[in-house]
Structure formats: C-alpha cells, structure tokens
Amino acid sequence: MASEKHGMVERRGAGLWLTHAFMILGVLVIFFPIWLAFVASTVTQPEIVSPPMPIWPGDQFWENYSAALFSGVNVPVMTMLGNSLVMAIGIAVGKIIISLLSAFAIVYFKFPGRTTFFWLIFLTLMLPVEVRIVPTFEVVAGFGMLNSYSGLIFPLIASATATFLFRQFFMTIPDELAEAARVDGARPMRFFWDIVVPMSRTNIAALFVILFIYGWNQYLWPLLITTDPEMNTIVMGIKQMFPSGDDVAEWPVIMATSILAMVPPVIVVVSMQKLFVRGLVDSEK
C-alpha cells in the first residue's frame, strides 16, 4: 500500500513538473516577441536595420521613449494615450451602467413584452458596429460629434453581452431579498444601489477589464470619425507611424510606442486580477 501511494505521488509529481514546463514554454513563446519589441525600443535605428538584431536592451531607452511620448511622428504619444484612455474608460463604464440598468429593469419590473425586449437587445449581437457603421456615422455627424470624445464613446456603449450576463446573475439573487427590501419600504432604485450593485461587484470588475480592453483596441470607428490628428487614439497612431512610399520608418520610436500602448491594459488587468478571476469563476453569489 505504501509503495502504491509512493508511486502515485511520483507520477503526480512528474505530471506537475511536465505541466509547469509546458506552461513556462508557452509563456516564453508569447513573451519573446514583446521582448524583441522592447529591445528594439532601446537601441538606435542602424542597430535595428543591420542584422543580426540585438536581443539585449541598448542605451537609448530614455531618448527613444522621450521622443515617442513628447514628439512622436505625427502626434505625441502622450496625447494619443490620453485619447485612448478616455475612450476605453468611457466605453467600459457606459456599457456597465447601461447594462446594469437594462438587466435590472428586465428582471425586476413586470411590464408587457419584457421578454421580447430582452431578446431584441440580444439580437443586436448580430449587428456589430462594423455592420451599422454607415448609418451610425450619419447619426454621429448629424449631432455634430465628429472629432469628439462623445462621438468616440456614445455609439459603442450599448452591450447586449453585458446585459445578458447581468440578467443571468440577477436571476440567481433570491426573491426573498427583493421582498424584504419591499417590506422595509425601500424603493426599487434603493434596492438596486444598496443590494444589487454591491452583489455584482465581481461581475462588474470582470466585465470592466474585458470592456476596457475592447475600447482600448478600437481602430475602425475612431479612424472613421476623427480627422483631427489631436484626436488620434494610440492604435491609430501606431498604424500611422508606418511609412508610405520612400519614407524611412523610425523603428525605435514605433516600438517604444507599441510598448507604451501595452502598459495601460496590463495595469488594468494586473490591478483587477483577483476580482476579474472571481467574477468569472465564483459561483457563490
């Protein structure tokens, strides 16, 4: 019996080490291109274009990152980072607020056709912004929201997915809580703010991370409605840094911009990691 247990421990130990080895290998494969981009952002232009490319950081870190942040190619990266940050936060917060309120109304208010309205909202998943981009542009232009933060944010803040997820969660909240709040004289919005929203904290955090990255990575919509370079987002800026014709690419500045573009999403994911994981896997509501 003891030898069998010992053999099981050994097999389990071997499997554990093998699993970790594959995991580390996968991380290295994913991380290596990022490392090369970082190295390219710390060396000079001749060092990049003359093979072999260095694999260790150079001594041009401050020069290249200062050039990207405060000079850039067309617009300083600091400006584009600010535009992307405003857009990503606005989209994430707007989607969460609208989805919370719409899911709360569908679950807790009894009105004719509420199921029909829910499925109509859900059907909008088949109409992403790329499909309705022409009429959406006409509406935004008609309201005079071109080259503005409102034009970047408002057309993208409706979210059928978030509404569906919040609806499913609200349906797991015991009816006794709503009855107790009603007996205590709490109005519907008091019940919403004092009970429903705090219970949805982990779900909100998980969705915020996902929606922030969704807003941060937007390219087509900002490209369509912004003509002022000062309103460029960081994703647009990286694309515009690539040369056309016989122009020479400033690869150290481009790579520094790419690394800087990764920083805010990484900060959001790392800072909200625990709440994000709990929001995805926690079943004890």
Side-chain angles (χ1 to χ4, degrees):
M1 181 66 69
S3 59
E4 291 180 1
K5 290 182 178 180
H6 183 68
M8 292 176 62
V9 171
E10 286 184 346
R11 286 195 296 272
R12 185 180 304 170
L16 186 63
W17 280 106
L18 188 62
T19 302
H20 280 74
F22 277 112
M23 183 174 64
I24 293 172
L25 179 62
V27 170
L28 291 176
V29 170
I30 295 172
F31 181 74
F32 186 67
I34 301 174
W35 173 255
L36 284 182
F38 173 73
V39 170
S41 70
T42 63
V43 298
T44 62
Q45 177 83 355
E47 289 179 288
I48 294 179
V49 299
S50 301
M53 180 179 169
I55 60 172
W56 298 109
D59 58 357
Q60 300 296 308
F61 178 88
W62 295 112
E63 290 80 358
N64 293 337
Y65 280 85
S66 297
L69 280 171
F70 304 112
S71 299
V73 176
N74 297 317
V75 181
V77 171
M78 184 70 74
T79 301
M80 295 188 290
L81 285 173
N83 294 337
S84 290
L85 192 63
V86 171
M87 181 181 178
I89 292 177
I91 290 175
V93 173
K95 281 179 176 287
I96 288 172
I97 291 175
I98 291 178
S99 300
L100 276 170
L101 292 172
S102 58
F104 180 72
I106 290 171
V107 173
Y108 289 101
F109 288 84
K110 312 295 182 183
F111 56 91
R114 63 174 183 159
T115 303
T116 302
F117 282 115
F118 167 72
W119 286 111
L120 286 175
I121 294 173
F122 196 71
L123 286 175
T124 60
L125 286 172
M126 294 186 294
L127 296 172
V129 68
E130 292 79 10
V131 174
R132 49 185 171 84
I133 199 164
V134 174
T136 304
F137 176 83
E138 292 180 353
V139 171
V140 171
F143 279 102
M145 293 192 298
L146 299 179
N147 291 313
S148 67
Y149 290 129
S150 57
L152 287 171
I153 295 170
F154 289 155
L156 302 178
I157 61 174
S159 175
T161 303
T163 301
F164 174 75
L165 293 175
F166 282 127
R167 172 185 178 267
Q168 297 304 109
F169 170 68
F170 292 167
M171 292 177 67
T172 66
I173 297 177
D175 294 336
E176 289 78 8
L177 285 176
E179 292 296 331
R182 191 177 298 112
V183 170
D184 289 341
R187 305 290 295 176
M189 293 310 295
R190 179 70 180 275
F191 171 70
F192 174 75
W193 287 113
D194 291 352
I195 297 178
V196 174
V197 172
M199 293 184 67
S200 308
R201 187 169 62 100
T202 55
N203 302 76
I204 292 173
L207 280 171
F208 179 84
V209 173
I210 296 170
L211 298 176
F212 179 90
I213 296 175
Y214 164 82
W216 186 267
N217 290 332
Q218 284 298 309
Y219 174 74
L220 180 60
W221 179 246
L223 181 67
L224 184 67
I225 72 157
T226 58
T227 56
D228 183 0
E230 293 294 325
M231 292 301 299
N232 284 355
T233 62
I234 190 66
V235 178
M236 293 173 57
I238 294 173
K239 176 62 175 67
Q240 292 172 1
M241 286 180 175
F242 287 93
S244 58
D246 296 330
D247 296 336
V248 178
E250 294 290 338
W251 289 112
V253 176
I254 294 174
M255 291 303 172
T257 303
S258 301
I259 295 297
L260 290 170
M262 301 179 196
V263 173
V266 169
I267 292 175
V268 169
V269 172
V270 172
S271 62
M272 304 185 70
Q273 180 181 9
K274 291 183 179 179
L275 288 174
F276 174 70
V277 174
R278 286 178 57 191
L280 293 179
V281 304
D282 188 7
S283 60
E284 296 179 5
K285 307 297 183 184

